Amino acid sequence: MSENERKMPVHVAMIMDGNGRWAKERGMIRLQGHNAGMEALREIVRHSANIGVKYLTVYAFSTENWKRPEEEVSGIFKLLVRYVKSEIDELNRSNVRVQIIGDISRLPEESAKAAGYAVETTKDNTGLVFSIAINYGGRAEIARAARLLAKDVRAGRIAPEDIDEAAVASKLYTADMPDPDLLIRTGGEHRLSNYLTWQTAYSEVYVTDVYWPDFTPEEYDKAVDWYTGRDRRYGGLK
Ligand code: IPE
Ligand code: IPE
Ligand code: MG
């Protein structure tokens, strides 16, 4: 195994930010930016599989994004339905397994159905695990894990003393996944915006000013190249 192969990220998480600013700079409406972002995502999923990434987790809608105008929110959810309809066949052919992380019970019915359909159709696939975070918040996810553990304690399945880091991790949406090795944020903001709060404890964070609709496979390669040069110490010494 070459040095580079050994250091390739297994799990890449992405904060797909900058759609609105991309649109504004072109005199377009924000939804046109989200639409362009959807096009960019198609290439990024393909490229992830091509370069050997095993898990790709993208932030599509946060628990805080409900604060946006109703028109933008419903437009984003309509785009999600369109994305599933246009991509599902190729995703399935490419052996991609789609997962949704987040609370989809609050989604418009049509979007929740589309999301469920994508998950169901691809559930036996063994290639790239492609997780879409929708109505996702890192704090909400941890609170949910605490709730689930409390129920286990009340039912006598576990004792409070059994609650360690592994127990918490086992109740997260990402229970079956390794933590992200590389977190990419487009759009230039140096913050996590409530994304994968627990899981990113030791992720390498790459921020690019490139807006999400302009995030091409070439830009992705730059992030991966940067990642391969990192020295991950996990609190220890080299
Ligand atoms: C990210 O792009 C997509 C979502 C949050 C749904 P934005 O819509 O946040 O774009 P900017 O940050 O306003 O440019
Ligand atoms: C984070 O972007 C959420 C998604 C990309 C879905 P935001 O645009 O919502 O984040 P803030 O508001 O700049 O922190
Ligand atoms: Mg933004």
Side-chain angles (χ1 to χ4, degrees):
M1 202 189 270
S2 80
E3 180 82 344
N4 245 15
E5 272 170 335
R6 199 174 73 241
K7 286 185 177 167
M8 274 299 286
V10 174
H11 184 173
V12 179
M14 297 191 183
I15 301 177
M16 309 187 288
D17 196 24
N19 293 348
R21 281 163 287 166
W22 181 93
K24 191 168 178 212
E25 282 184 6
R26 285 163 179 74
M28 298 175 174
I29 61 162
R30 295 182 57 84
L31 269 176
Q32 288 174 294
H34 295 311
N35 194 41
M38 190 176 87
E39 302 291 329
L41 179 58
R42 174 180 300 138
E43 296 300 319
I44 294 304
V45 176
R46 271 194 204 136
H47 197 60
S48 297
N50 288 343
I51 63 177
V53 165
K54 304 284 185 258
Y55 299 86
L56 172 69
T57 304
V58 302
Y59 208 3
F61 193 86
S62 76
T63 48
E64 286 72 37
N65 287 146
W66 294 104
K67 293 176 192 161
R68 297 186 180 199
E70 206 279 318
E71 189 181 82
E72 179 171 349
V73 170
S74 64
I76 290 171
F77 287 131
K78 284 198 188 101
L79 270 179
L80 174 73
V81 176
R82 240 184 55 209
Y83 179 81
V84 169
K85 283 186 178 150
S86 69
E87 299 306 303
I88 193 68
D89 286 342
E90 184 188 332
L91 290 171
N92 206 16
R93 263 199 313 277
S94 312
N95 198 23
V96 173
R97 178 151 62 92
V98 179
Q99 290 195 147
I100 306 292
I101 64 172
D103 179 9
I104 62 165
S105 70
R106 259 194 80 187
L107 261 53
E109 201 190 323
E110 204 195 358
S111 309
K113 257 170 64 184
Y117 175 74
V119 171
E120 181 59 28
T121 309
T122 62
K123 70 176 189 319
D124 296 324
N125 291 345
T126 54
L128 176 73
V129 178
F130 172 38
S131 305
I132 311 173
I134 306 173
N135 192 22
Y136 173 89
R139 289 183 173 180
E141 180 185 35
I142 294 168
R144 174 178 172 273
R147 229 159 29 237
L148 294 171
L149 288 167
K151 285 181 184 166
D152 281 350
V153 170
R154 189 175 58 189
R157 286 189 287 271
I158 58 168
E161 295 71 30
D162 296 330
I163 300 177
D164 54 11
E165 291 185 17
V168 175
S170 76
K171 300 295 188 188
L172 300 176
Y173 296 117
T174 52
D176 299 328
M177 295 190 234
D179 288 338
D181 301 294
L182 169 62
L183 170 68
I184 299 173
R185 180 162 189 151
T186 62
E189 306 293 355
H190 291 250
R191 55 178 172 254
L192 297 178
S193 301
N194 205 11
Y195 193 41
L196 301 173
T197 307
W198 175 279
Q199 298 88 337
T200 52
Y202 269 103
S203 302
E204 301 291 331
V205 181
Y206 178 91
V207 176
T208 171
D209 287 334
V210 170
Y211 294 140
W212 176 257
D214 290 331
F215 191 72
T216 54
E218 291 69 42
E219 294 294 335
Y220 192 174
D221 285 342
K222 285 186 204 168
V224 171
D225 281 349
W226 172 86
Y227 170 84
T228 57
R230 294 298 94 199
D231 175 21
R232 303 185 77 185
R233 289 186 292 279
Y234 299 98
L237 301 175
K238 201 168 161 46

